[in-house]
Amino acid sequence: GGRQLGNGHSQGSALQFFGQAKKRINDIFKEIGEYIVETDKFVDDVMLSGQDIISQECCRVVKGFNERVNGIMEILARDRMKVAFFGRTSNGKSTVINAMLRDKIMPSGIGHTTHCFIQVEGTDSSEGFLLTEGSDQPQSIGSIKQLAHNLSSVKLEENSLVRILWPKSKCRLLKEDVVFVDSPGIDVTQELDSWIDKYCLDADVFVLVGNAESTLMQTEKNFFHKVSARLSKPNIFILQNRWDVSVLEEDADDVRKQHSDRNLQFLIDELKVVDKKEAEDRLYFISAREALVSRLHQDKGTPTPTGSLQEGFQIRMFEFANFERKFEECISKSAVQTKFEQHTARGKSITSEVRGVMENTYTRSLELTEEQLSLRREKNDELDYLGKQLKLLTQEVKDKIRSMVEDVERKVASALND
Ligand code: GTP
Ligand code: MG
């Protein structure tokens, strides 16, 4: 499947890698499931034959496989790519997400705006809606301001989650199974540790939204030190946002160099999550506001009003698009690895356990055939029937093992290699 991954030219191709891999592994588990059902039936038949070939224990084990395969397929169906945004308050986290989604979904504004965690994910329904923790009652999208805005009078807990279910038809990234998580500013909370436990451990990519007008601060660094202590080599992107403002300053080039040096040093030497070469793809100087404004107008087919874009905005838009491309490559690859590797390992262990059961059955039935044959010399006629039955059974077991185990193992191995 790596073929598709290298092709980052056409929009969305990198993200589709995840969907393709998901479909493929799902198909394999469907087949494994079918083999398990067959095996189960076979084992039942052998038990019914009354011969002492398969132990109760084996029988129970085979029955358990069914449940395990179903469980894996359920998790698989829920597997998505998750990106979480962090940064100090007002740096533009919510605006970056809106720009990526090409819609004003997240509340944004000056001051401390986002008060709790907000997750945006795709839905097949044509209208968007909200879900809050502990309730499956859908609420209207309009109530997001009341629920998640810091200025609202009735607020949710800081580390609680509002889920926005947004129509997949309106956004490519959601259609391709990306889930976005927006957070309150890391400088206005005491709850960093619980945040990490609750929202970070299954994230495939982290985006640190920095403010190009100030430098990377200790709160931001601390947070990512904590994250990388819990996760091995988290994928971190750094966006130096509001570059439209800073670039107007006289010494913008020097500032850019300073930000670059500090950010790269942080990723490479402090966190040690990337090497020098990889780090180049992890830092971008952007303006989320310009990206959002121009995309909204572009999608509506109206010209972007002059004045909402600063001089040299094309370069920042280009960097934003570049970020998105690298982000898509990174998140799909990482999600396939971390999520599907576990499933593949479990699939392999199930097929090899089935193989064990079948091989035992085969060996045991061979032994029995031998026993019966020697008995038969003495009690010829009586056992004729049983002997024949066992021979048939033995042949059947042999065929089963060949077709089932080899087929499944070949498929799983080739999927793993891909
Ligand atoms: P909290 O939710 O409070 O943590 O803030 P946030 O990080 O989500 O920031 P938000 O997206 O709400 O943006 C804060 C303010 O900055 C808003 O008024 C945005 O319009 C503005 N803003 C965001 N990105 C940019 C940018 O690139 N350039 C400029 N000039 N303003 C921006
Ligand atoms: Mg916000």
Side-chain angles (χ1 to χ4, degrees):
R3 293 177 297 279
Q4 290 89 350
L5 194 66
N7 167 20
H9 314 297
S10 63
Q11 278 246 324
S13 57
L15 284 182
Q16 281 163 10
F17 175 59
F18 179 81
Q20 286 158 355
K22 182 165 165 171
K23 187 176 175 316
R24 184 119 181 251
I25 195 165
N26 196 57
D27 289 345
I28 290 175
F29 271 102
K30 249 193 228 153
E31 275 187 55
I32 295 179
E34 283 161 18
Y35 285 122
I36 301 288
V37 169
E38 265 185 67
T39 310
D40 189 27
K41 189 177 169 303
F42 175 72
V43 167
D44 277 350
D45 287 350
V46 175
M47 290 297 275
L48 278 178
S49 78
Q51 298 294 311
D52 176 26
I53 298 178
I54 298 181
S55 65
Q56 291 284 350
E57 170 63 16
C58 277
C59 209
R60 217 176 38 74
V61 168
V62 172
K63 297 241 180 278
F65 287 146
N66 218 338
E67 224 166 277
R68 269 164 70 188
V69 169
N70 287 340
I72 293 170
M73 287 179 79
E74 264 171 44
I75 298 172
L76 192 56
R78 284 198 306 268
D79 277 338
R80 290 175 301 192
M81 297 169 271
K82 182 167 149 184
V83 52
F85 292 77
F86 294 96
R88 276 175 293 138
T89 192
S90 273
N91 279 4
K93 301 175 290 295
S94 304
T95 311
V96 170
I97 297 176
N98 287 342
M100 292 177 80
L101 296 171
R102 305 180 79 97
D103 226 318
K104 278 189 178 162
I105 301 177
M106 299 291 187
S108 78
I110 54 168
H112 172 25
T113 306
T114 308
H115 178 73
C116 62
F117 281 80
I118 309 178
Q119 174 168 310
V120 189
E121 57 195 285
T123 171
D124 291 319
S125 62
S126 59
E127 289 293 320
F129 56 95
L130 301 181
L131 290 173
T132 50
E133 248 173 306
S135 155
D136 47 17
Q137 191 64 40
Q139 302 182 44
S140 90
I141 285 285
S143 53
I144 187 69
K145 279 228 166 92
Q146 279 88 61
L147 289 169
H149 202 293
N150 189 54
L151 296 177
S152 161
S153 50
V154 277
K155 297 182 287 235
L156 292 170
E157 290 285 315
E158 205 179 62
N159 72 353
S160 65
L161 179 74
V162 179
R163 289 167 62 196
I164 300 183
L165 285 292
W166 192 254
K168 287 182 189 169
S169 54
K170 288 189 184 174
C171 180
R172 180 180 63 86
L173 292 155
L174 301 179
K175 198 170 92 203
E176 307 282 9
D177 260 355
V178 181
V179 174
F180 290 75
V181 177
D182 193 6
S183 63
I186 47 179
D187 49 339
V188 294
T189 182
Q190 312 286 321
E191 309 199 43
L192 289 184
D193 293 289
S194 74
W195 284 13
I196 292 173
D197 289 341
K198 222 173 152 189
Y199 298 107
C200 297
L201 299 182
D202 66 339
D204 300 293
V205 166
F206 296 87
V207 178
L208 168 60
V209 180
N211 177 346
E213 288 150 82
S214 79
T215 192
L216 197 60
M217 288 189 181
Q218 206 53 46
T219 28
E220 292 159 316
K221 288 188 168 188
N222 281 346
F223 178 75
F224 281 99
H225 273 296
K226 280 170 188 273
V227 169
S228 70
R230 298 292 302 273
L231 293 169
S232 86
K233 293 215 178 190
N235 298 306
I236 303 170
F237 285 81
I238 301 181
L239 298 180
Q240 286 294 352
N241 193 34
R242 307 173 72 94
W243 193 236
D244 54 322
V245 180
S246 309
V247 82
L248 302 174
E249 303 287 324
E250 245 173 53
D251 47 6
D253 287 343
D254 296 336
V255 173
R256 183 178 174 127
K257 169 106 182 35
Q258 187 191 56
H259 283 319
S260 288
D261 292 346
R262 280 187 67 105
N263 289 329
L264 297 183
Q265 192 266 338
F266 176 59
L267 293 179
I268 299 167
D269 304 322
E270 260 187 64
L271 290 181
K272 299 186 169 62
V273 289
V274 280
D275 61 29
K276 242 190 169 123
K277 178 92 192 51
E278 295 166 317
E280 283 167 21
D281 290 336
R282 296 300 178 85
L283 174 65
Y284 299 88
F285 291 77
I286 57 147
S287 167
R289 185 157 78 180
E290 287 177 335
L292 177 61
V293 166
S294 69
R295 286 174 173 191
L296 290 179
H297 283 284
Q298 200 183 329
D299 291 351
K300 263 195 291 182
T302 52
T304 311
T306 45
S308 52
L309 303 176
Q310 300 300 319
E311 199 186 304
F313 70 92
Q314 295 95 334
I315 299 171
R316 292 183 290 279
M317 306 281 243
F318 184 73
E319 273 207 44
F320 197 92
N322 245 346
F323 152 66
E324 289 174 308
R325 196 163 52 82
K326 291 293 176 197
F327 157 77
E328 290 179 15
E329 282 174 21
C330 177
I331 197 169
S332 58
K333 195 172 159 190
S334 161
V336 166
Q337 257 163 20
T338 55
K339 303 202 154 85
F340 299 161
E341 200 164 49
Q342 292 168 14
H343 298 321
T344 313
R346 287 191 193 111
K348 276 185 124 176
S349 104
I350 290 175
T351 51
S352 79
E353 279 180 72
V354 174
R355 185 191 189 125
V357 169
M358 295 304 260
E359 270 171 0
N360 280 344
T361 311
Y362 177 56
T363 323
R364 181 70 192 127
S365 65
L366 265 189
E367 275 170 22
L368 268 187
T369 310
E370 281 307 313
E371 274 173 36
Q372 300 282 354
L373 279 178
S374 65
L375 263 181
R376 195 172 147 184
R377 266 169 238 127
E378 295 155 28
K379 294 190 157 196
N380 219 331
D381 291 343
E382 261 177 75
L383 290 166
D384 200 24
Y385 169 72
L386 268 186
K388 263 188 200 146
Q389 208 183 22
L390 272 168
K391 252 189 193 157
L392 280 176
L393 211 53
T394 308
Q395 191 52 46
E396 206 179 329
V397 175
K398 220 171 168 180
D399 292 347
K400 269 274 148 47
I401 291 174
R402 213 182 35 239
S403 73
M404 182 173 105
V405 175
E406 284 175 7
D407 197 27
V408 175
E409 282 186 344
R410 187 170 41 75
K411 278 185 182 134
V412 171
S414 96
L416 230 204
N417 285 340
D418 274 344

